[in-house]
Amino acid sequence: MIVVMQQDATSEQVEAVVDRLEKSGFQVHLSRGVERTIIGIIGDRTRLGDMALEAMPGVEKVMPVLQPYKLASRAFHPEDSVVMVGDLAIGGEEIHVMAGPCAVESREQLLEAARQVKAAGATILRGGAYKPRTSPYSFQGLEEEGLKLLAEARELTGLKVVTEVMDVRTLPLVAEYADILQIGARNMQNFFLLREVARVDKPVLLKRGLSCTIEEWLMAAEYIMSGGNQRVILCERGIRTFENYTRNTLDLTAVPVVKYLSHLPVVVDPSHGIGKWQFVPTMARAAVAAGADGLLIEVHPNPAEALCDGPQSLTPENFAHMMKELRSVARAVNRQLAGGVADV
Amino acid sequence: MIVVMQQDATSEQVEAVVDRLEKSGFQVHLSRGVERTIIGIIGDRTRLGDMALEAMPGVEKVMPVLQPYKLASRAFHPEDSVVMVGDLAIGGEEIHVMAGPCAVESREQLLEAARQVKAAGATILRGGAYKPRTSPYSFQGLEEEGLKLLAEARELTGLKVVTEVMDVRTLPLVAEYADILQIGARNMQNFFLLREVARVDKPVLLKRGLSCTIEEWLMAAEYIMSGGNQRVILCERGIRTFENYTRNTLDLTAVPVVKYLSHLPVVVDPSHGIGKWQFVPTMARAAVAAGADGLLIEVHPNPAEALCDGPQSLTPENFAHMMKELRSVARAVNRQLAGGVADV
Amino acid sequence: MIVVMQQDATSEQVEAVVDRLEKSGFQVHLSRGVERTIIGIIGDRTRLGDMALEAMPGVEKVMPVLQPYKLASRAFHPEDSVVMVGDLAIGGEEIHVMAGPCAVESREQLLEAARQVKAAGATILRGGAYKPRTSPYSFQGLEEEGLKLLAEARELTGLKVVTEVMDVRTLPLVAEYADILQIGARNMQNFFLLREVARVDKPVLLKRGLSCTIEEWLMAAEYIMSGGNQRVILCERGIRTFENYTRNTLDLTAVPVVKYLSHLPVVVDPSHGIGKWQFVPTMARAAVAAGADGLLIEVHPNPAEALCDGPQSLTPENFAHMMKELRSVARAVNRQLAGGVADV
Amino acid sequence: MIVVMQQDATSEQVEAVVDRLEKSGFQVHLSRGVERTIIGIIGDRTRLGDMALEAMPGVEKVMPVLQPYKLASRAFHPEDSVVMVGDLAIGGEEIHVMAGPCAVESREQLLEAARQVKAAGATILRGGAYKPRTSPYSFQGLEEEGLKLLAEARELTGLKVVTEVMDVRTLPLVAEYADILQIGARNMQNFFLLREVARVDKPVLLKRGLSCTIEEWLMAAEYIMSGGNQRVILCERGIRTFENYTRNTLDLTAVPVVKYLSHLPVVVDPSHGIGKWQFVPTMARAAVAAGADGLLIEVHPNPAEALCDGPQSLTPENFAHMMKELRSVARAVNRQLAGGVADV
């Protein structure tokens, strides 16, 4: 952390800052330039956040030198983390595709979707039992009934299950059924929820908030990790931009950047990231080329009848076709798709 | 709602859309232009959200004609709503100032702040007992102890209390102590929490999400209102923009726009909206001129020692000075500040 | 400027940076922390921009300590600048209102508008002869004919004239007719144009770019000032945000912030900033309360027939009414409107 | 275009709108819903922009149904356009890499860069002779001297030359030397410049503005095309987002979306799009997977000595390595890199 003093700061003001820092156990390093005095601070950065140095007289600004996250940083953990979901390794050489409908709507719909995505090579089934909807008048999910159907689909297909947890009260129930707990974009900074999933022995898929920075995203991961759960999978799912032709703007730049700053695995959700199924296969290919460790893809047996996010759902046929294309892109970047499908 | 068909849509595709709409009980209105066929839909708009019309073959896009909120709209309720907090009327002719520290830190700090803001003319005391913090290593609030101190300060000063509720589990406890339940910006789309505060008989101060649109903000209000609680006060608290000299960008344009689209009262929080105390009094004045029904102002007996948001907190002296200036701006726009302070 | 070295930077890498800086005539100040070595740089900041220090091995990032602008900064020029436009002082105690149609469309339209805004108290006439239009199929302005009509209106009313210059080739012509040269938002970083207006002996109204930061805006002013023209008036005209109910989001926070960072006068254009006439008077009031030195207001004798920006234009009646309200807000913040209208 | 009337619009107001439209030669189509009357407009959309319908009494909003661009749209020109640059086809099966330094700095630097990028498989040389710089104190380019050096490099290597034109006055000079005229991001809406390059018989590389929408970008292309020059190549170069770890956010979603909406070729500039060389090769791969027709890559013989954009420049070695990787990704999506380099 560096404190930049105002041009006209007095020696007393500089000393007051130095004094306060030294009393709090920090070492300081003073540098008097022609136009400004600068105070470098050496010591435990996690303790600095609570000192309101910018409110002290004569202080112009406080600039952080180090990232505010630690457990999530690559500096702390130089090797890639691999998150195990049962026997599946997320973040290893294999790329995992998590596919299924946006919402669990019925037994038929879910089992049909599960069978189809399994056949095409997905290893994990996605499907929401609790749905965060912008409108109170929209379908809000089948809740516990949906969780049971997901478990049944897992039973039948062997796919693992990822599903969203929206709330601390329903967390124990969701954790009972899910293999991976999904934290949605709108809950990325629901700090109570983050602290609670930190105490559950399940991997967490942490979606990126709609307009957050990468630092805020990694700070959300830090909440979970500092609370005791190291099994965090990050999920890029599109950011809000000025473009309104698409639902969001899928930010693939985030993939190599996050992998540089952090050791955690990163998966990509092009379905939410764009919101129009036409562009999903192309951007799924680009995500693999950008280094994604996995994909989240919405697939619905009949998108036009979907109760949620139909316009961004692939048909099972389109999904199968996309999977085939993905295999060759994966090979071109020296990786391979998980999932036991013959590659012809 | 209007459905725009693709240029090369077939008659069968047009009919399929019309058919589906009519079977769902909507009236349709067909218009064939030179380049596009357009289908107007007449019927209950709240039921349209779940129909994935954009996923039907031949459909180019679906354009909403009406706002998706109803109870929160001025069309539904043409007169201004006044929200009563005990005997205080928010949204009437008087402007209410809610002031106090960001976080409750100690008995001395809170009581001192309460006395000072009361003396300067505030009518409501703000102070966080539960704090949403970006870093897990930052001070997270005194929790129940903080709530008790707020109640004590109310007892001593007669000020009403507004404090944040972060979570459904602690809602009953917070509701016991608070006069107004605050929903923070990061929880604006925490739909479980919105549904729960809808069932509590207390006014709700709903802060605007950092990057949400006005429509999303009013949809969040709609969640609370459709769940049974009509006493919603909207709070503009700054949006995220590309500017990084200030913490956020206070969006005063939102004040007249929201008051045009909705009947709900709107208050403004320049402290969070800018993040630097130097600019708070000026923007508070501008907020009053823009038609705000109230203000949320952070005041701390000693900002440089604050555990949270010191740089944006006014000293009690600066606060008192600001209040004086506000009175003349209020008069200039034919309103007046609540709070029984002699205006010299 | 501060150079932060990577955690694993070698002593050789640190020395290479120090060496290069010292050879270029800078003084350096080394600080070795536990986790990072930091190099403070002392010397002429304007010369640092061209050194690609971040491309040197071992360098993590380069952080500027001082603002990159100098002539535009308040540190360089602590007193408020007053820009004279003939005998009108922009940036002094009086607030000047610049009003008129978006585009000059015809003799009748312009003279009618000029007479009306003059009668209501405006001191400067606005009107575009060259119009930057998003569509090549839209009306592009009357060009030289429009400039002549502006001169005629000045002759008749005594109002000064502000009009946009879009291009270096037409600059001499526009400069012949205008009292203030307007640089539009889309040209804020047209550096060739900035360099040319720097050589003209006329005040420049520099509109803020749609998505620029305040620093970039002041750097654009610095281009004009370093080229020799100190008479720069800054104009906030709305920024692009995610809100699409309004055309732009008027950023009044920019007013006190820019006046803190710079000595230049700041005027506000609520017409472009919002794009809907209904909200213009309210936001004009708020702009005055926020400390604006002037306003730019679109007024059209018949907005529904306007060839450009009709929806954001006030009728002369609404304008006159707004002016009356502005006078009392101005008084409330100890300023007054210029323009010799009896205030009843 | 659709006009939505206000809920309380009178029949007279509806008729006034209908009347005006019919008198202007449009056909109208009236639809009276329960809550709103809607007026559909049939006729030449390019003539509608100048009618200020939203300013008419009783009108709530005007919604465009069709895109405002025509010549640039795929509806108008269903097949992909291929832009010839001499004998090179941009937009065909082959992917072209345009590489070289940000700015032409010296004869040695440019010729060295040209030789190296040619050897690695680039077909077009990039290099700025005129540089748009945020600071007036930064290196602004070698101007005509730079253009001559580019011509010399072309002579020696056979590479085509792309270079930026910043201004209508220098356009004839730049057009004499360049094979492709580049319009920079900050000039995307410099409409005078767009109109002038429309009259030159050279292909134009049109960079996307920092915060523009895809529609605005295509409208800028429409300016050039409607002025007579159909040879437009679009270039995605990163958009401004809230992320500040990278310089910009490269928006690869734009590639398939623009190719869906338009027939024009699209190239990608990951160097500016990210601003850190470390991430350029990965995002170049992803761009190819996303369907880009070409790439713009900054390469400098010695990035740490670069006068401009050193941190985002690849060394010739890194560039050569990247080119090798790109070949296999190109093959995986059934395309191939242009440039006669043996692929081992």
Side-chain angles (χ1 to χ4, degrees):
Chain A
M1 200 88 96
I2 281 166
V3 180
V4 180
M5 301 299 294
Q6 289 167 359
Q7 194 168 18
D8 55 1
T10 63
S11 321
E12 287 71 32
Q13 289 172 335
V14 174
E15 259 162 63
V17 176
V18 169
D19 225 55
R20 181 153 170 230
L21 285 164
E22 289 182 341
K23 279 190 184 132
S24 304
F26 294 98
Q27 259 186 280
V28 305
H29 198 279
L30 214 67
S31 154
R32 292 185 199 273
V34 187
E35 302 189 59
R36 288 287 191 287
T37 294
I38 288 167
I39 305 169
I41 311 176
I42 299 164
D44 179 3
R45 59 183 140 153
T46 62
R47 288 177 42 231
L48 272 167
D50 285 343
M51 301 186 68
L53 296 172
E54 274 185 3
M56 293 186 74
V59 173
E60 181 167 312
K61 60 178 166 182
V62 176
M63 297 157 74
V65 165
L66 300 172
Q67 277 101 14
Y69 47 87
K70 202 164 178 173
L71 304 176
S73 75
R74 197 170 275 280
F76 176 79
H77 185 300
E79 320 251 293
D80 283 354
S81 279
V82 173
V83 173
M84 296 305 297
V85 179
D87 55 341
L88 306 181
I90 314 287
E93 209 178 290
E94 285 190 333
I95 295 167
H96 286 271
V97 177
M98 316 178 181
C102 179
V104 181
E105 296 169 11
S106 71
R107 192 165 181 275
E108 298 66 46
Q109 173 243 22
L110 186 68
L111 298 190
E112 171 69 6
R115 250 177 262 132
Q116 299 257 22
V117 302
K118 162 85 177 183
T123 51
I124 300 173
L125 176 66
R126 61 147 295 150
Y130 298 89
K131 296 300 308 169
R133 301 303 296 274
T134 307
S135 167
Y137 308 118
S138 295
F139 174 63
Q140 311 270 329
L142 294 184
E143 308 195 347
E144 187 167 1
E145 178 59 22
L147 294 172
K148 287 182 178 159
L149 292 171
L150 285 166
E152 186 181 346
R154 169 172 51 203
E155 203 64 34
L156 285 173
T157 58
L159 294 166
K160 304 290 178 199
V161 164
V162 56
T163 195
E164 178 163 353
V165 56
M166 280 182 63
D167 169 66
V168 293
R169 281 181 318 180
T170 47
L171 171 57
L173 190 69
V174 177
E176 206 180 294
Y177 289 97
D179 298 300
I180 305 176
L181 295 166
Q182 177 179 317
I183 302 283
R186 282 174 185 76
N187 273 325
M188 193 201 81
Q189 292 195 317
N190 183 334
F191 302 116
F192 271 59
L193 185 56
L194 297 179
R195 279 201 289 256
E196 289 301 314
V197 298
R199 296 189 188 124
V200 176
D201 183 24
K202 294 267 170 160
V204 177
L205 184 103
L206 179 65
K207 288 204 160 187
R208 180 185 186 181
L210 271 83
S211 321
C212 74
T213 60
I214 287 173
E215 186 173 296
E216 288 167 335
W217 191 15
L218 291 175
M219 283 307 277
E222 189 87 1
Y223 256 94
I224 301 171
M225 299 173 85
S226 68
N229 187 345
Q230 310 305 312
R231 292 199 283 163
V232 177
I233 302 162
L234 299 167
C235 178
E236 158 60 31
R237 45 76 73 209
I239 54 172
R240 180 163 282 188
T241 68
F242 299 138
E243 184 52 50
N244 50 29
Y245 179 76
T246 49
R247 183 176 182 180
N248 294 296
T249 296
L250 188 70
D251 175 14
L252 291 186
T253 312
V255 178
V257 168
V258 166
K259 290 183 91 65
Y260 178 84
L261 295 172
S262 174
H263 52 92
L264 297 170
V266 182
V267 304
V268 170
D269 176 350
S271 304
H272 281 88
I274 308 170
K276 296 190 187 254
W277 69 267
Q278 294 91 325
F279 306 114
V280 168
T282 302
M283 292 311 287
R285 285 203 307 255
V288 167
D293 296 308
L295 293 166
L296 228 76
I297 305 285
E298 292 197 350
V299 179
H300 194 287
N302 185 355
E305 300 289 336
L307 291 179
C308 176
D309 289 346
Q312 72 195 32
S313 297
L314 295 180
T315 60
E317 296 69 43
N318 285 334
F319 177 70
H321 187 252
M322 178 196 82
M323 290 295 278
K324 233 165 120 179
E325 292 177 331
L326 286 186
R327 283 172 213 286
S328 48
V329 176
R331 264 197 313 268
V333 294
N334 298 316
R335 294 183 80 169
Q336 60 194 83
L337 249 60
V341 173
D343 181 13
V344 254
Chain B
M1 200 89 95
I2 282 166
V3 180
V4 180
M5 301 298 294
Q6 290 167 358
Q7 193 167 18
D8 55 0
T10 64
S11 322
E12 287 72 33
Q13 290 172 336
V14 174
E15 259 161 65
V17 175
V18 169
D19 225 56
R20 182 155 168 229
L21 284 164
E22 289 181 341
K23 279 192 185 131
S24 305
F26 294 99
Q27 259 186 280
V28 305
H29 199 279
L30 215 65
S31 155
R32 292 185 199 274
V34 187
E35 303 189 58
R36 290 286 190 287
T37 294
I38 288 168
I39 304 169
I41 310 176
I42 299 164
D44 180 4
R45 59 183 141 155
T46 63
R47 287 178 42 233
L48 272 166
D50 286 343
M51 300 187 69
L53 296 172
E54 274 186 2
M56 294 187 74
V59 173
E60 181 168 311
K61 59 179 167 181
V62 176
M63 297 158 76
V65 165
L66 300 173
Q67 278 102 13
Y69 47 87
K70 202 165 178 172
L71 304 176
S73 74
R74 197 171 276 279
F76 175 78
H77 185 300
E79 320 251 294
D80 283 353
S81 280
V82 173
V83 173
M84 297 305 297
V85 180
D87 55 341
L88 306 180
I90 314 286
E93 209 180 291
E94 286 191 331
I95 295 168
H96 286 271
V97 177
M98 317 180 181
C102 178
V104 181
E105 297 169 10
S106 71
R107 193 165 180 277
E108 297 68 43
Q109 173 243 22
L110 185 68
L111 298 191
E112 170 69 7
R115 249 178 262 130
Q116 301 256 20
V117 302
K118 162 83 177 181
T123 51
I124 300 173
L125 176 66
R126 61 148 294 151
Y130 298 88
K131 297 300 308 169
R133 302 304 296 272
T134 308
S135 166
Y137 308 118
S138 295
F139 173 62
Q140 311 271 328
L142 294 183
E143 309 194 348
E144 187 167 1
E145 178 60 21
L147 295 172
K148 286 182 180 160
L149 292 172
L150 286 165
E152 186 181 345
R154 170 172 49 203
E155 204 63 34
L156 286 173
T157 58
L159 293 166
K160 304 290 176 198
V161 164
V162 56
T163 195
E164 179 163 354
V165 56
M166 281 181 63
D167 169 65
V168 292
R169 280 181 319 178
T170 48
L171 170 58
L173 190 68
V174 177
E176 206 179 295
Y177 289 97
D179 299 298
I180 306 176
L181 295 166
Q182 177 180 316
I183 302 283
R186 284 174 185 75
N187 272 325
M188 193 201 81
Q189 292 194 319
N190 183 334
F191 302 115
F192 271 60
L193 184 55
L194 297 179
R195 278 201 290 255
E196 289 302 314
V197 298
R199 295 187 190 127
V200 177
D201 183 24
K202 293 267 169 162
V204 177
L205 183 102
L206 179 65
K207 288 202 160 189
R208 179 183 185 182
L210 271 83
S211 322
C212 74
T213 60
I214 286 172
E215 185 172 299
E216 289 168 336
W217 190 14
L218 291 175
M219 283 307 277
E222 189 87 1
Y223 257 93
I224 300 170
M225 298 174 86
S226 68
N229 187 345
Q230 310 305 313
R231 292 200 282 164
V232 177
I233 302 162
L234 298 167
C235 178
E236 158 61 31
R237 46 76 72 208
I239 54 173
R240 180 164 279 187
T241 68
F242 299 139
E243 184 52 51
N244 49 30
Y245 179 76
T246 49
R247 183 176 181 178
N248 295 295
T249 295
L250 188 71
D251 175 14
L252 291 186
T253 312
V255 178
V257 169
V258 166
K259 289 182 92 66
Y260 179 83
L261 295 171
S262 175
H263 52 92
L264 297 171
V266 181
V267 304
V268 170
D269 177 350
S271 305
H272 281 89
I274 308 170
K276 297 190 188 251
W277 69 266
Q278 293 93 327
F279 306 115
V280 168
T282 303
M283 293 310 289
R285 285 203 306 254
V288 167
D293 296 307
L295 293 166
L296 228 76
I297 306 284
E298 292 197 351
V299 178
H300 194 287
N302 186 353
E305 301 288 335
L307 291 179
C308 177
D309 289 346
Q312 72 194 33
S313 298
L314 294 181
T315 59
E317 295 70 41
N318 286 334
F319 177 69
H321 187 252
M322 178 196 83
M323 289 295 280
K324 234 165 119 179
E325 293 177 331
L326 287 185
R327 282 174 214 285
S328 47
V329 176
R331 264 197 313 268
V333 295
N334 299 317
R335 294 184 80 170
Q336 60 194 84
L337 249 60
V341 173
D343 180 12
V344 255
Chain C
M1 200 88 95
I2 282 166
V3 179
V4 180
M5 301 299 295
Q6 289 168 358
Q7 193 167 19
D8 55 2
T10 63
S11 322
E12 287 73 34
Q13 289 173 336
V14 175
E15 260 161 63
V17 175
V18 169
D19 225 57
R20 182 154 168 229
L21 285 163
E22 289 182 340
K23 279 191 184 132
S24 305
F26 294 99
Q27 258 185 283
V28 304
H29 198 279
L30 214 67
S31 154
R32 290 183 200 276
V34 187
E35 303 189 58
R36 289 287 191 287
T37 293
I38 288 168
I39 304 169
I41 310 177
I42 299 163
D44 179 4
R45 58 184 141 153
T46 63
R47 287 179 40 233
L48 272 166
D50 286 342
M51 301 186 68
L53 296 172
E54 274 186 1
M56 294 187 74
V59 173
E60 182 169 310
K61 60 178 166 182
V62 176
M63 296 158 74
V65 166
L66 300 173
Q67 277 102 13
Y69 47 86
K70 203 166 177 169
L71 304 176
S73 75
R74 197 170 274 279
F76 176 78
H77 185 301
E79 320 251 294
D80 282 355
S81 280
V82 173
V83 173
M84 296 305 297
V85 180
D87 55 340
L88 306 180
I90 314 286
E93 209 178 289
E94 285 190 332
I95 295 168
H96 286 272
V97 177
M98 316 178 181
C102 179
V104 181
E105 296 169 11
S106 70
R107 192 165 181 278
E108 297 67 44
Q109 173 243 22
L110 186 67
L111 298 190
E112 171 69 6
R115 249 177 264 131
Q116 300 257 21
V117 302
K118 162 86 177 181
T123 50
I124 300 173
L125 176 66
R126 61 147 295 151
Y130 298 89
K131 296 300 307 169
R133 302 302 296 274
T134 308
S135 166
Y137 307 119
S138 295
F139 172 63
Q140 311 271 329
L142 294 183
E143 309 194 347
E144 187 167 2
E145 177 60 20
L147 295 172
K148 287 181 179 161
L149 292 172
L150 286 165
E152 186 181 347
R154 172 174 46 203
E155 204 62 34
L156 286 173
T157 58
L159 293 166
K160 305 290 176 198
V161 164
V162 56
T163 195
E164 179 162 354
V165 55
M166 280 182 65
D167 168 67
V168 292
R169 280 181 319 180
T170 47
L171 172 56
L173 190 68
V174 177
E176 206 179 296
Y177 289 97
D179 298 300
I180 306 177
L181 295 166
Q182 177 179 317
I183 302 283
R186 283 174 185 77
N187 272 326
M188 193 201 81
Q189 292 195 317
N190 183 335
F191 302 116
F192 270 60
L193 185 56
L194 297 179
R195 278 201 290 253
E196 289 302 315
V197 298
R199 295 188 189 126
V200 177
D201 183 24
K202 293 267 170 161
V204 177
L205 184 101
L206 179 64
K207 288 204 159 188
R208 180 184 185 183
L210 271 84
S211 321
C212 73
T213 60
I214 287 173
E215 185 173 298
E216 289 167 335
W217 191 13
L218 292 175
M219 283 306 279
E222 188 86 1
Y223 256 95
I224 301 171
M225 298 174 86
S226 68
N229 187 344
Q230 310 304 312
R231 293 199 282 163
V232 177
I233 302 162
L234 298 166
C235 178
E236 158 60 31
R237 45 76 72 209
I239 54 172
R240 180 163 280 188
T241 68
F242 299 138
E243 184 53 50
N244 49 30
Y245 179 75
T246 48
R247 183 176 182 180
N248 295 295
T249 295
L250 189 70
D251 175 14
L252 291 186
T253 312
V255 178
V257 169
V258 166
K259 290 182 91 65
Y260 179 84
L261 295 171
S262 175
H263 53 92
L264 297 171
V266 182
V267 305
V268 170
D269 176 351
S271 304
H272 281 88
I274 308 170
K276 296 190 188 253
W277 69 266
Q278 294 93 326
F279 306 115
V280 168
T282 303
M283 293 310 288
R285 284 203 307 255
V288 167
D293 296 307
L295 293 167
L296 228 75
I297 305 284
E298 292 197 350
V299 179
H300 194 287
N302 185 355
E305 300 289 336
L307 290 180
C308 177
D309 289 346
Q312 70 195 32
S313 298
L314 295 181
T315 60
E317 295 70 41
N318 285 334
F319 177 69
H321 188 252
M322 179 197 83
M323 290 294 280
K324 233 165 119 177
E325 292 177 332
L326 286 185
R327 283 173 213 284
S328 48
V329 176
R331 265 197 313 269
V333 296
N334 298 316
R335 294 183 80 170
Q336 60 194 84
L337 249 59
V341 173
D343 180 13
V344 254
Chain D
M1 200 89 93
I2 282 166
V3 179
V4 180
M5 300 299 294
Q6 289 168 358
Q7 195 167 15
D8 54 2
T10 64
S11 322
E12 287 71 33
Q13 290 172 335
V14 174
E15 259 160 65
V17 175
V18 169
D19 225 55
R20 179 149 172 233
L21 284 164
E22 289 182 341
K23 278 190 185 133
S24 305
F26 294 98
Q27 259 186 280
V28 304
H29 198 280
L30 215 66
S31 155
R32 293 186 198 272
V34 187
E35 303 189 59
R36 288 287 191 287
T37 294
I38 288 168
I39 304 170
I41 311 177
I42 298 164
D44 180 3
R45 57 183 140 153
T46 63
R47 287 179 40 233
L48 273 166
D50 286 343
M51 301 186 67
L53 297 171
E54 274 186 3
M56 294 187 73
V59 173
E60 181 167 312
K61 59 179 168 182
V62 176
M63 297 157 75
V65 166
L66 300 173
Q67 277 101 12
Y69 47 87
K70 202 163 179 175
L71 305 176
S73 75
R74 196 171 276 280
F76 175 78
H77 185 302
E79 319 252 292
D80 283 354
S81 280
V82 173
V83 172
M84 297 305 296
V85 180
D87 55 341
L88 306 180
I90 313 287
E93 209 178 290
E94 285 190 332
I95 294 167
H96 286 272
V97 177
M98 317 180 180
C102 179
V104 181
E105 296 169 11
S106 70
R107 191 165 182 278
E108 298 68 44
Q109 173 242 26
L110 186 69
L111 298 190
E112 171 68 8
R115 249 177 263 130
Q116 300 257 21
V117 302
K118 162 84 176 181
T123 51
I124 299 172
L125 176 66
R126 61 148 294 151
Y130 298 88
K131 297 301 306 170
R133 302 303 296 274
T134 308
S135 166
Y137 308 118
S138 294
F139 173 62
Q140 310 270 331
L142 294 183
E143 309 194 347
E144 187 166 2
E145 177 60 21
L147 295 172
K148 287 183 178 159
L149 292 172
L150 285 165
E152 185 181 348
R154 171 173 48 204
E155 203 63 33
L156 285 173
T157 58
L159 293 166
K160 304 290 177 199
V161 163
V162 57
T163 196
E164 179 162 354
V165 55
M166 280 181 65
D167 169 66
V168 291
R169 281 182 317 180
T170 47
L171 172 57
L173 190 69
V174 177
E176 204 180 297
Y177 289 97
D179 298 299
I180 307 176
L181 295 166
Q182 177 179 317
I183 302 283
R186 282 174 186 75
N187 273 325
M188 193 201 81
Q189 292 195 319
N190 183 333
F191 302 116
F192 270 59
L193 185 55
L194 297 178
R195 278 201 289 255
E196 289 302 315
V197 298
R199 295 187 190 128
V200 176
D201 183 25
K202 293 267 170 162
V204 177
L205 184 102
L206 179 65
K207 288 203 159 188
R208 180 184 184 182
L210 271 83
S211 321
C212 74
T213 61
I214 286 172
E215 187 173 296
E216 289 167 334
W217 190 14
L218 292 175
M219 283 307 277
E222 189 86 1
Y223 256 94
I224 301 171
M225 299 173 85
S226 67
N229 187 346
Q230 309 305 313
R231 293 198 284 163
V232 177
I233 302 163
L234 299 166
C235 177
E236 158 61 31
R237 47 76 72 207
I239 55 172
R240 180 164 280 188
T241 68
F242 299 137
E243 184 54 49
N244 49 29
Y245 179 76
T246 49
R247 182 176 182 179
N248 294 296
T249 295
L250 188 71
D251 175 15
L252 291 185
T253 312
V255 179
V257 169
V258 167
K259 290 182 91 66
Y260 179 83
L261 295 171
S262 174
H263 52 92
L264 297 171
V266 182
V267 304
V268 171
D269 176 351
S271 304
H272 280 89
I274 309 170
K276 296 189 188 252
W277 69 267
Q278 293 92 326
F279 306 114
V280 168
T282 303
M283 294 311 288
R285 285 202 307 255
V288 168
D293 296 308
L295 292 167
L296 228 76
I297 305 285
E298 292 196 351
V299 179
H300 193 287
N302 184 354
E305 301 288 337
L307 291 179
C308 176
D309 288 347
Q312 72 195 30
S313 298
L314 294 181
T315 60
E317 296 69 42
N318 285 334
F319 177 69
H321 186 252
M322 179 197 82
M323 291 294 280
K324 234 165 120 177
E325 292 177 332
L326 286 185
R327 283 174 213 285
S328 47
V329 176
R331 265 197 313 269
V333 295
N334 298 317
R335 293 183 81 170
Q336 61 194 83
L337 250 60
V341 173
D343 181 14
V344 255

